[in-house]
Amino acid sequence: MVPALHQKTDMSFEKGLVELQRIVDKLESSEIDLETAVADFEQGIKIQQYCQKKLDKATLQVNRLLQDGKLKPLKDLPHRQAAPPQPSPGQDDSLDFSDLE
């Protein structure tokens, strides 16, 4: 079964991607029973939909800002140093996607 998840859906896009990768890795392993694979697959679909909504919202916000004519398109901005990578969630940083629909 999918492990108990504790964090609500206000989690970050990046944490969603990390959880998706964890699920993909688990599904690709040969040591998973059918019921667990189906449950994990369903969970992965919910997370993917959640991440897509967050990405769509961010894209819409950027497009609205660019339409104001006050900002330059992202490709015209000088390169900035990348932010330091966020630590990946550990065992205690489980995510709750149970209310995603």
Side-chain angles (χ1 to χ4, degrees):
M1 297 298 295
V2 176
L5 304 171
H6 301 292
Q7 188 174 345
K8 292 295 176 194
T9 56
D10 60 344
M11 58 96 176
S12 72
F13 176 82
E14 293 78 11
K15 281 189 177 185
L17 291 181
V18 168
E19 183 66 9
L20 274 176
Q21 186 60 54
R22 185 196 66 75
I23 290 171
V24 168
D25 292 344
K26 187 176 176 184
L27 290 172
E28 288 177 342
S29 77
S30 60
E31 299 175 9
I32 186 171
D33 62 86
L34 180 61
E35 290 79 18
T36 301
V38 170
D40 284 351
F41 183 78
E42 180 180 6
Q43 190 76 353
I45 294 296
K46 290 178 181 179
I47 297 167
Q48 182 275 329
Q49 291 170 343
Y50 175 78
C51 288
Q52 186 63 54
K53 286 179 186 177
K54 288 197 73 104
L55 184 59
D56 290 345
K57 183 178 177 181
T59 300
L60 182 61
Q61 286 177 309
V62 168
N63 288 337
R64 285 182 182 162
L65 289 169
L66 292 174
Q67 287 176 354
D68 288 343
K70 297 177 184 174
L71 298 176
K72 295 180 179 182
L74 295 177
K75 65 182 180 183
D76 296 339
L77 294 176
H79 293 286
R80 294 173 19 175
Q81 185 177 11
Q86 297 294 322
S88 60
Q91 298 285 47
D92 296 14
D93 294 333
S94 296
L95 307 173
D96 180 8
F97 301 100
S98 60
D99 59 346
L100 294 176
E101 298 289 331

